Amino acid sequence: MSGDIGKVERGEWSSRVGFILAAAGSAIGLGNIWRFPYVTGQHGGAAFLVLYLLCVLVVGLPIMVAELTIGRFSRRNPVGAIEVIRPGSPWKIVGYMGVLTGIFILSYYSVMAGYTLGYIGKTVARSQITFADFTANAWISIPLFLAFSVLTVLVVQGGVRDGIERWAKILMPVLLCLLVVLIIRAVTLEGAGAGLSFYLKPDFSRVTIKTVLAALGQAFFSLSLGMGAMITYGSYLSKKDNIVTSGCYVALFDTLIAVMAGLIIFPALFAMHMDPAEGPGLVFVVFPKIFAAIPGGNVIGMGFFLLLSIAALTSTVSLLEVVTSYLVDERHWLRRHAVWIVAGLCFCLGVPSALSMGIVPALGDLPIPGGSILGFMDWLFGNMMLAVGAVLISIFTGWVWRVSRAAAEITIGYPGFGRISVILSFMLRFICPVLILVVLVFLILDAF
Ligand code: PFF
């Protein structure tokens, strides 16, 4: 079985569509349907949405292109890629940071993904258990966390191309259709209008530097940027491929799904007089209520949580793949050993996050950013570390490797790129680093 993945790792995606689906699979996940709505809710709605879209366009896209280009040029994992481009330089640290960030994100992400898995069963069984009680039950949440971790290992071990690529092709369009059905239901609920204005009518007076950082962090998290996932996936791209248009498709699909999730959550939330700033439990509280209000909601609900679990799985696979490809390429581990050991480590690291969701109440109410262990991990690794990683990747591409060399790589599959390379150059050298650094500095000042 492990031979399969070996083929993908040294080889290429089966087609351009295959790559777009796999990369979109990495990007589309809990970040879009769980994280985006709750972060938007906490940061005031529409103004956050506008900032988020700007971050994707101005910062996310150039860094996406930079990561894919580094990957395809070097055909390596994030650490090896930087070593190929600048041998012996301290820039390799950026690669190590990516691997480490991947491990930590995977640890708490799988906890949430486990809940999603459990909600399939909960919907089928028509259980009335609340989200708080569900996560506070160690006999439910820990085995689900473990089950999801094992599932991720089996996929990464068993073959990304034959497994994930084929599944994603069928299931992503199904998820899209289901979201459309749910949007129609949500916006036609009585009182949905208030939710639509919360989500779509910006009030910039409430925007602070924290809002901007949250938007930036969400853009990186959602697009899987700042930790080398796209370097790893780019390393399987064919030279014939057009990196720029492929990257744009991935960003477009990812943003579309997030925006659609908001169109379901906020109208439904306001119709049911709930608090948009509810926090990480938002999706798990609101969606079941929508399903309860639809005829056949049970089946739709089951389908929804199933698809969400699969979307989460295509993301955890990419997280595990970053760490695995490093251990296999650079440390010459057997892939079979690497996946199990890394997943075991991530499981141990994720236990405090799982406990902090109600099993050990003290871990859920701490005087730290994010409020709980899980919230803190998400703040530190899902926000800060991705932003730091992204700024370093943009400086590395813009100033160290040089955009002219990146442009030469892009031009192989996109002969007309030369004319617009100056835009990428300007973005990567000036706009991305300055913007991200300013936000990070303000944030650090704000913390003291
Ligand atoms: N982009 C994924 C999501 O939105 O759920 C999460 C993620 C995957 C982040 C892979 C970072 C990463 F490298």
Side-chain angles (χ1 to χ4, degrees):
M1 270 173 103
S2 56
D4 253 9
I5 186 91
K7 249 193 290 169
V8 175
E9 192 177 62
R10 302 283 174 272
E12 291 170 357
W13 299 106
S14 58
S15 64
R16 176 173 146 91
V17 176
F19 162 74
I20 292 173
L21 284 171
S26 164
I28 298 168
L30 296 178
N32 307 61
I33 294 170
W34 159 66
R35 199 176 190 273
F36 174 77
Y38 100 73
V39 178
T40 306
Q42 281 178 332
H43 290 90
F48 179 87
L49 175 65
V50 173
L51 284 176
Y52 173 71
L53 294 176
L54 277 175
C55 288
V56 169
L57 204 68
V58 176
V59 185
L61 261 181
I63 294 180
M64 167 83 78
V65 171
E67 281 203 28
L68 291 174
T69 311
I70 292 174
R72 193 181 70 175
F73 174 81
S74 64
R75 300 212 165 280
R76 294 282 192 89
N77 63 86
V79 177
I82 292 178
E83 182 63 16
V84 165
I85 293 172
R86 270 284 167 278
S89 80
W91 282 95
K92 229 166 126 173
I93 293 171
V94 182
Y96 286 119
M97 269 174 46
V99 172
L100 215 69
T101 306
I103 292 175
F104 281 101
I105 293 183
L106 184 57
S107 75
Y108 72 85
Y109 194 95
S110 301
V111 173
M112 296 306 300
Y115 299 154
T116 317
L117 208 56
Y119 261 59
I120 303 172
K122 176 181 167 332
T123 317
V124 175
R126 296 176 193 263
S127 155
Q128 297 300 314
I129 185 173
T130 63
F131 180 64
D133 288 339
F134 185 89
T135 58
N137 188 330
W139 296 105
I140 300 180
S141 51
I142 304 277
L144 285 170
F145 169 33
L146 185 66
F148 203 90
S149 306
V150 171
L151 224 54
T152 308
V153 168
L154 293 179
V155 174
V156 176
Q157 185 178 271
V160 171
R161 186 194 272 187
D162 293 337
I164 287 295
E165 230 188 272
R166 197 179 324 138
W167 278 81
K169 224 180 240 169
I170 307 165
L171 292 167
M172 287 296 157
V174 179
L175 178 65
L176 208 74
C177 294
L178 198 59
L179 290 177
V180 172
V181 171
L182 292 174
I183 290 176
I184 295 171
R185 174 67 273 208
V187 298
T188 51
L189 286 169
E190 205 170 313
L196 282 175
S197 21
F198 175 82
Y199 187 46
L200 300 174
K201 274 207 193 121
D203 168 11
F204 289 104
S205 64
R206 288 169 58 195
V207 169
T208 64
I209 194 70
K210 279 192 180 152
T211 325
V212 183
L213 182 89
L216 203 58
Q218 176 60 25
F220 295 141
F221 186 89
S222 193
L223 295 170
S224 303
L225 297 177
M227 52 152 282
M230 289 299 157
I231 296 183
T232 311
Y233 274 29
S235 71
Y236 314 136
L237 262 175
S238 140
K239 295 279 178 198
K240 294 194 303 284
D241 278 327
N242 183 328
I243 295 176
V244 178
T245 53
S246 299
C248 286
Y249 274 122
V250 174
L252 188 73
F253 288 148
D254 184 66
T255 309
L256 187 71
I257 300 275
V259 171
M260 286 172 81
L263 280 175
I264 302 168
I265 286 275
F266 293 108
L269 197 101
F270 277 75
M272 293 163 187
H273 307 290
M274 289 166 64
D275 177 15
E278 159 104 22
L282 190 63
V283 161
F284 294 93
V285 175
V286 176
F287 271 101
K289 296 210 166 160
I290 306 177
F291 300 136
I294 315 179
N298 227 33
V299 179
I300 297 181
M302 190 197 76
F304 172 78
F305 284 113
L306 182 69
L307 289 169
L308 188 54
S309 301
I310 293 165
L313 189 63
T314 51
S315 301
T316 50
V317 160
S318 72
L319 287 161
L320 184 58
E321 180 60 23
V322 170
V323 188
T324 306
S325 66
Y326 159 71
L327 291 171
V328 172
D329 282 356
E330 309 297 314
R331 305 267 154 196
H332 309 295
W333 286 27
L334 278 179
R335 172 169 282 270
R336 199 157 27 91
H337 294 169
V339 283
W340 284 104
I341 292 171
V342 174
L345 175 70
C346 290
F347 181 77
C348 297
L349 290 171
V351 168
S353 295
L355 296 180
S356 75
M357 294 297 281
I359 301 171
V360 180
L363 296 180
D365 188 16
L366 296 167
I368 47 175
S372 64
I373 301 273
L374 191 141
F376 178 72
M377 298 285 279
D378 189 35
W379 177 81
L380 183 60
F381 294 101
N383 248 347
M384 297 290 279
M385 287 297 283
L386 292 185
V388 173
V391 84
L392 292 174
I393 289 169
S394 67
I395 294 172
F396 179 76
T397 315
W399 296 96
V400 180
W401 187 28
R402 296 290 172 141
V403 179
S404 56
R405 294 193 192 111
E409 176 66 29
I410 297 171
T411 307
I412 303 173
Y414 180 8
F417 181 68
R419 274 175 288 129
I420 57 167
S421 66
V422 23
I423 303 175
L424 183 71
S425 177
F426 184 65
M427 290 300 192
L428 284 177
R429 291 166 68 117
F430 302 103
I431 302 292
C432 296
V434 171
L435 250 171
I436 308 172
L437 278 174
V438 166
V439 173
L440 281 173
V441 167
F442 267 102
L443 196 90
I444 292 164
L445 292 179
D446 193 64
F448 293 101

